[in-house]
Amino acid sequence: MNKWVNIILVALLCISSATCQRGKPITEKNGAGGTVSETQAQFPVKEKVSAEIQKLHRVFASLSQRTRDGIVNGDSQEFLADLQQVLAEDADNLLTLVDKQHYLAADFVPADIVALKANDFYLLNRNDLSLRVPVEKSLREMGLAAKADGINLVVSSTYRSYDYQKNLYERNVRQLGKEVADRESAPPGASQHQLGVAVDFGSITDDFAQTKQGRWLASNAGKYGWSLSFPDGYEDVTGYRWECWHYRYIGVTAVEFQKKWFSDVQQFMLEFIHAWKTVQ
């Protein structure tokens, strides 16, 4: 056992038993402003554990082993404080989990979707692209910063309707076969693009990673609240192979939260937040 899995099991043992014999201690603040170890505190009754800590145990128990293993060990109160800050700042509901297990309705369209027009901040390779308002605002800020470094960000794909994604997916299945298509393309309702928060940049090919634009985004996108959705080596987690061109806007605070606690993997963080919002 390792990381948060070990911590949660230890905490649960402490709740259900008068003694704690095993595992790493998770630290919590005591009344004097110091810290006490759960293994030292030896909570004999559930009432001595805060409601948030109890919920944290339930949420972790609901996650897959792979996701739990991706969450970094640390102080539970610090983790919860960071979580609450992320949730408080997400007034625009940017952190919706959409994947092959969590689908959007066929008629889902973001209420604040706006058409993208030619501008001085980034380049468009099509004239039918659109994004949510806060996402486009951040894209302008990031595009301006990139231009200051001599980089022009090229926006190739953005919001996709359910029907658009359906046609794209079915075409990929016909051309590539379902097994290959499922690694490359989301089924209708399972695409982050339908949320209006994701952008495919540049060539939409693996070569993009080695371009000036791709390298700049890899180094700087997080500063502006953008996160690579499908990192290399995590196909078993995200459901898709590496996509060096696909970034999702989640906000600066969420990016920092992802880096600090979730091994810098967007999927781990979004799965946890979804569970936090749904587990009672």
Side-chain angles (χ1 to χ4, degrees):
M1 293 184 294
N2 58 11
K3 298 184 178 180
W4 270 95
V5 182
N6 206 6
I7 281 179
I8 296 304
L9 291 177
V10 170
L12 289 170
L13 286 170
C14 292
I15 293 170
S16 61
S17 170
T19 61
C20 288
Q21 302 291 332
R22 305 166 56 190
K24 298 178 183 177
I26 182 171
T27 57
E28 294 186 291
K29 300 296 181 181
N30 64 21
T35 62
V36 294
S37 164
E38 282 190 359
T39 53
Q40 294 171 347
Q42 297 182 357
F43 297 121
V45 291
K46 192 170 183 178
E47 286 72 22
K48 288 189 178 181
V49 182
S50 72
E52 279 200 326
I53 293 295
Q54 292 179 37
K55 182 173 182 179
L56 188 60
H57 300 159
R58 295 193 297 273
V59 169
F60 271 86
S62 74
L63 299 173
S64 70
Q65 184 67 50
R66 185 71 167 94
T67 300
R68 293 198 298 266
D69 286 345
I71 301 176
V72 177
N73 198 347
D75 180 272
S76 60
Q77 297 295 356
E78 182 181 356
F79 176 88
L80 288 168
D82 290 346
L83 170 64
Q84 293 304 332
Q85 183 177 2
V86 168
L87 296 177
E89 292 187 13
D90 188 29
D92 294 313
N93 293 316
L94 297 169
L95 303 177
T96 300
L97 176 62
V98 176
D99 56 23
K100 292 178 179 178
Q101 288 75 46
H102 304 86
Y103 282 67
L104 295 170
D107 60 354
F108 174 84
V109 179
D112 58 351
I113 203 81
V114 293
L116 305 187
K117 299 179 181 179
N119 59 74
D120 296 328
F121 303 96
Y122 52 84
L123 301 177
L124 301 173
N125 74 354
R126 285 166 39 190
N127 59 9
D128 61 346
L129 301 175
S130 55
L131 286 170
R132 290 190 56 196
V133 169
V135 181
E136 198 278 333
K137 179 181 178 182
S138 176
L139 180 59
R140 285 182 173 241
E141 295 172 356
M142 186 167 68
L144 185 62
K147 292 193 73 170
D149 290 337
I151 305 295
N152 286 315
L153 297 184
V154 178
V155 177
S156 300
S157 184
T158 53
Y159 166 74
R160 299 174 191 163
S161 69
Y162 182 96
D163 288 339
Y164 183 104
Q165 188 67 32
K166 182 175 184 291
N167 291 333
L168 176 63
Y169 176 73
E170 290 176 349
R171 184 186 70 191
N172 286 334
V173 170
R174 288 194 303 271
Q175 293 178 349
L176 304 173
K178 189 174 187 305
E179 183 176 353
V180 174
D182 282 341
R183 300 181 65 205
E184 307 277 346
S185 180
S191 174
Q192 292 185 350
H193 286 284
Q194 192 179 345
L195 289 169
V197 298
V199 172
D200 288 344
F201 290 96
S203 59
I204 316 184
T205 64
D206 292 351
D207 295 341
F208 178 73
Q210 301 307 318
T211 65
K212 291 181 179 180
Q213 184 185 175
R215 292 196 301 269
W216 190 93
L217 283 168
S219 298
N220 296 282
K223 301 174 186 176
Y224 303 92
W226 294 80
S227 166
L228 187 70
S229 294
F230 311 122
D232 195 16
Y234 288 90
E235 185 174 349
D236 64 318
V237 174
T238 66
Y240 304 98
R241 72 175 189 87
W242 175 52
E243 292 191 359
C244 56
W245 58 85
H246 180 115
Y247 285 80
R248 172 175 175 164
Y249 180 67
I250 58 175
V252 174
T253 302
V255 167
E256 293 172 350
F257 188 51
Q258 169 186 308
K259 290 181 177 180
K260 181 176 180 180
W261 295 105
F262 295 91
S263 305
D264 201 17
V265 176
Q266 181 192 119
Q267 183 72 18
F268 290 150
M269 182 189 68
L270 293 179
E271 286 184 12
F272 176 87
I273 289 176
H274 176 79
W276 182 265
K277 291 178 177 180
T278 55
V279 171
Q280 300 300 312

